[in-house]
Amino acid sequence: HVVRVAGELDLDTRGTLEAALNGLAKPPLIVVLDFTDLTFVDSTGLKTLLNEHRRAREERYEFVIAAARPEVREIFRVTALDLTLPLASDVASVLGS
């Protein structure tokens, strides 16, 4: 499954992402978050991503964040989440397309 996330991932929008992730067929083989159009993520958004990462480990499916813009990658770097969250340069590289 590829879930495209656009705009900002914050307190106001995390519920939309959580609903999309919860609505996927269970268990998925892979969940790729396409961050091509994501411009900002706050601490609430980071917590949502960490929760999904944890759930993927528990339920044994692959979870990857792909195509994050430099400003979003910087947030991951500053919080050291670039060492925890699985990041890929683009969606195609994850899906083997």
Side-chain angles (χ1 to χ4, degrees):
H1 299 283
V2 176
V3 178
R4 289 178 179 80
V5 184
E8 298 182 352
L9 178 54
D10 56 18
L11 181 62
D12 293 333
T13 60
R14 72 173 167 83
T16 303
L17 177 58
E18 289 171 345
L21 294 170
N22 290 332
L24 299 176
K26 299 294 182 207
L29 295 175
I30 184 171
V31 172
V32 180
L33 296 185
D34 180 351
F35 276 12
T36 301
D37 296 320
L38 184 74
T39 57
F40 175 78
V41 59
D42 74 357
S43 61
T44 306
L46 294 174
K47 182 178 179 185
T48 301
L49 297 175
L50 285 169
N51 287 341
E52 184 63 20
H53 178 62
R54 177 193 45 77
R55 184 168 71 168
R57 285 192 329 260
E58 289 173 358
E59 296 181 16
R60 302 188 191 286
Y61 61 88
E62 189 174 356
F63 170 74
V64 180
I65 296 168
R69 293 172 174 226
E71 57 269 30
V72 173
R73 281 190 174 267
E74 180 64 7
I75 293 167
F76 292 148
R77 187 193 67 75
V78 168
T79 59
L81 290 177
D82 60 337
L83 303 174
T84 302
L85 295 172
L87 304 174
S89 58
D90 57 55
V91 174
S93 67
V94 177
L95 300 178
S97 308

